[in-house]
Amino acid sequence: MVPSLALGTRRSERPVDLKVRVEVRGVISSCSLLLTGALSPLQGITGSFGAAIHSLNTHQLTDAVINRSKRMMLDTLGVGLIGTRTAVFNKALAYSQMFRSDERSIVWGKSALTLPPHYAAFVNGVAVHSMDFDDTWHPATHPSGAVLPALLALAETLPSRPSGLDLLLAFNVGIEVQGRLMRFSTEAYNIPERFHPPSVVGVMGSAAASAKLLGLSAAQCAHALAIAASSAGAPLANAATQTKPLHIGNAARRGLEAARLARLGLQGNPAILDMNSGFGVYYKDYSPSPMAASASADFKWILEDQDVAFKSIPAHLGMHWVVEAALAARAELENPTRHFDLSQIRRVTLRVPPSKYVDCPFPATEHQARHSFQFNACSALLDNQVTPCSFSGAQINRPALKELLSKVEVETPEDNPPSFDKMYCEVQVETERGHSHVVRCDTFYGHWRKPLSQEDLEDKFSTNASSVLCTEGVEGVMEVVRNMEKVSECSVLSSHLRMTSGPEQLYSAV
């Protein structure tokens, strides 16, 4: 019998001794068993993931999961299309065009441009996160951007073109793997402090989804995860910079590469998910568990119970609470003619959860502004809206905005945890006349507890996509996604994603 490599198998031992003994034993055992061939990739927690990825089938997709994942796809394509007009996307694209291969996949929003598939996955992934406009899940990550670009790039290269239902299944496999990995740690439920989650779980989701679309064996699926784990991780210090969108692009690209390497026979540690020195290096409280077999009564898609949040403004998710509260506070301050003299504001107090990387008092760039409670609250108070254009250099550097920013104070109440599921934002505006208006937002519109209507989600897509595609392209993408489970070849999306509306120029807010 192969010994278990999971932590906590001998509860009678002291915690310190247990950690050292199991970890060392796990590393030595897995290495020696690999050499002897006694350890199969189908054993342990990693093996359970490989087996589930391989065996999941389209019949297990429920109506709820199909509908939610189609909403995720549509939103991802929309934010990816508008993202192709950003400076960071164009820099990633210029780099990627240096590479050549016989296989080619399209670049979204480019009428005649193709790249090697893993670079197409990279640049399209960068586009999705270039404005921080993509969906967010709980525990915290951006689930779709790491998966969909990889799958669409891969689908174009396969001799037997996958159907829309095949795409939905592979997409949901990639989302499911991310959701299960994040649940191996209670730390993952909070706003991150050390690394950007899509760079860790996203590459694993991309690998799982790509492995599924490639039809890999259970053992190959497990090896794809092991290979992908060695490309995981990105420090949170690069948040609020042009490098952050690369985290999504790299996750899509590296996951796709891992699956294709596994298909060629490359192997990794078959216990990568079982060990603290494996995937556990990313979490202080790593506690993995097996993935239920697809045929088991215990199997249920996480997406069935946990919906995603869709953003109405291109900024960090936490900004949506503070913007909604600030807009409501402004409404209270306005007179019947909807006018208010902002110079009468004496102080603005923001009560937000503690999170250092979204505390940027005086942002100088669009990426810093997207991660600034202060900037987003003041933009809402000043303009009565926050839009993609709010993050342009001209808007950021307005004297009126800077003056208002100087009046902002930030508090982090003890009852306001750094969790997208439990946090709140409160905006208090005090005037020179001694008036005080306080508005609190517990759940913004677009949060999984208050989801966007289908009409508003499609409006968001249309607005974003029409900045790049012609009307026929916009309507074509929407029609394909609406009927994805009935589409005979998912690659039909490619033709619509190339129907540009005019000169392919930089987006104005860069």
Side-chain angles (χ1 to χ4, degrees):
M1 179 178 292
V2 178
S4 170
L5 303 182
L7 292 179
T9 54
R10 297 177 63 184
R11 297 180 184 274
S12 61
E13 297 182 89
R14 290 182 294 119
V16 175
D17 293 340
L18 175 64
K19 182 176 181 180
V20 173
R21 191 173 304 170
V22 172
E23 187 58 25
V24 172
R25 185 177 64 222
V27 173
I28 295 174
S29 298
S30 62
C31 290
S32 61
L33 289 170
L34 272 169
L35 291 173
T36 62
L39 183 57
S40 164
L42 299 182
Q43 294 175 310
I45 292 168
T46 311
S48 75
F49 271 69
I53 293 167
H54 169 72
S55 61
L56 282 165
N57 61 73
T58 56
H59 298 295
Q60 292 165 291
L61 293 172
T62 65
D63 289 343
V65 166
I66 288 175
N67 289 334
R68 284 181 173 176
S69 54
K70 287 196 298 185
R71 282 164 58 89
M72 294 163 71
M73 287 182 175
L74 186 68
D75 187 67
T76 301
L77 292 170
V79 299
L81 285 164
I82 194 172
T84 63
R85 298 299 184 258
T86 61
V88 62
F89 167 83
N90 280 275
K91 291 173 183 177
L93 178 61
Y95 165 75
S96 298
Q97 287 180 282
M98 294 189 293
F99 300 93
R100 297 285 184 270
S101 78
D102 292 335
E103 292 183 326
R104 311 292 290 183
S105 299
I106 71 156
V107 178
W108 302 352
K110 299 294 179 181
S111 58
L113 187 59
T114 60
L115 290 171
H118 51 293
Y119 281 104
F122 170 66
V123 298
N124 292 332
V126 169
V128 169
H129 198 58
S130 63
M131 298 169 68
D132 218 322
F133 214 175
D134 45 329
D135 57 20
T136 306
W137 214 12
H138 178 70
T141 195
H142 303 284
S144 300
V147 174
L148 189 59
L151 288 177
L152 292 183
L154 176 59
E156 291 186 70
T157 70
L158 299 178
S160 177
R161 295 300 172 91
S163 68
L165 204 53
D166 294 329
L167 180 67
L168 281 167
L169 176 61
F171 179 81
N172 277 288
V173 166
I175 301 302
E176 183 73 16
V177 165
Q178 292 180 74
R180 289 179 182 266
L181 292 178
M182 288 187 293
R183 283 160 176 77
F184 288 176
S185 164
T186 57
E187 176 189 5
Y189 283 78
N190 292 330
I191 296 175
E193 295 180 351
R194 295 177 293 118
F195 58 82
H196 192 206
S199 69
V200 172
V201 298
V203 68
M204 306 296 279
S206 172
S210 300
K212 186 63 183 176
L213 202 63
L214 284 168
L216 301 191
S217 69
Q220 289 172 321
C221 290
H223 284 305
L225 294 176
I227 298 165
S230 283
S231 294
L236 203 56
N238 268 327
T241 73
Q242 285 190 329
T243 295
K244 188 186 177 194
L246 270 61
H247 299 170
I248 297 286
N250 282 329
R253 169 192 170 189
R254 296 299 189 184
L256 173 55
E257 289 178 339
R260 299 188 84 173
L261 286 167
R263 188 186 194 189
L264 293 173
L266 190 73
Q267 298 182 353
N269 192 317
I272 197 72
L273 300 182
D274 302 65
M275 303 165 63
N276 266 7
S277 61
F279 197 72
V281 299
Y282 299 106
Y283 300 101
K284 299 172 184 175
D285 59 345
Y286 189 64
S287 181
S289 58
M291 188 170 177
S294 61
S296 168
D298 294 332
F299 181 81
K300 185 179 181 181
W301 301 97
I302 291 175
L303 191 60
E304 190 92 41
D305 294 323
Q306 178 59 65
D307 202 356
V308 300
F310 295 109
K311 299 179 177 180
S312 57
I313 59 172
H316 181 274
L317 191 71
M319 305 304 109
H320 289 67
W321 278 269
V322 79
V323 166
E324 196 159 303
L327 290 173
R330 177 188 165 109
E332 290 189 3
L333 291 164
E334 291 175 341
N335 62 27
T337 62
R338 300 194 62 79
H339 174 75
F340 177 75
D341 184 359
L342 291 172
S343 66
Q344 293 300 305
I345 293 179
R346 181 172 65 86
R347 179 167 55 202
V348 177
T349 302
L350 307 180
R351 298 183 180 93
V352 298
S355 183
K356 293 181 180 178
Y357 86 104
V358 286
D359 180 11
C360 187
F362 295 97
T365 69
E366 61 161 314
H367 295 282
Q368 290 176 355
R370 298 185 200 281
H371 294 76
S372 168
F373 280 123
Q374 298 91 329
F375 174 86
N376 284 274
C378 289
S379 292
L381 288 170
L382 189 62
D383 303 324
N384 201 25
Q385 64 178 353
V386 178
T387 71
C389 292
S390 299
F391 301 92
S392 68
Q395 294 295 95
I396 292 172
N397 293 312
R398 287 178 294 168
L401 179 65
K402 291 186 175 182
E403 180 183 355
L404 193 55
L405 283 170
S406 69
K407 301 177 180 180
V408 176
E409 297 180 2
V410 173
E411 298 178 358
T412 54
E414 291 184 2
D415 69 340
N416 199 358
S419 165
F420 292 139
D421 200 45
K422 299 177 181 179
M423 64 175 279
Y424 67 84
C425 286
E426 195 169 85
V427 175
Q428 180 175 1
V429 181
E430 300 171 67
T431 70
E432 295 291 355
R433 295 182 178 181
H435 297 143
S436 178
H437 299 267
V438 182
V439 176
R440 171 168 163 160
C441 176
D442 294 298
T443 304
F444 68 87
Y445 179 50
H447 190 276
W448 46 83
R449 289 194 299 268
K450 192 188 287 188
L452 287 183
S453 68
Q454 186 64 23
E455 181 181 2
D456 286 344
L457 183 74
E458 291 184 357
D459 283 347
K460 176 189 173 183
F461 169 79
S462 296
T463 300
N464 288 335
S466 62
S467 68
V468 180
L469 303 183
C470 65
T471 301
E472 183 182 356
V474 173
E475 293 177 351
V477 172
M478 291 179 67
E479 185 67 17
V480 171
V481 175
R482 281 193 196 113
N483 298 285
M484 185 60 74
E485 67 271 37
K486 303 173 185 176
V487 173
S488 59
E489 287 190 11
C490 67
S491 57
V492 69
L493 267 177
S494 299
S495 60
H496 298 298
L497 290 168
R498 305 177 81 172
M499 294 181 179
T500 53
S501 58
E504 296 167 4
Q505 299 175 344
L506 278 178
Y507 181 63
S508 59
V510 295

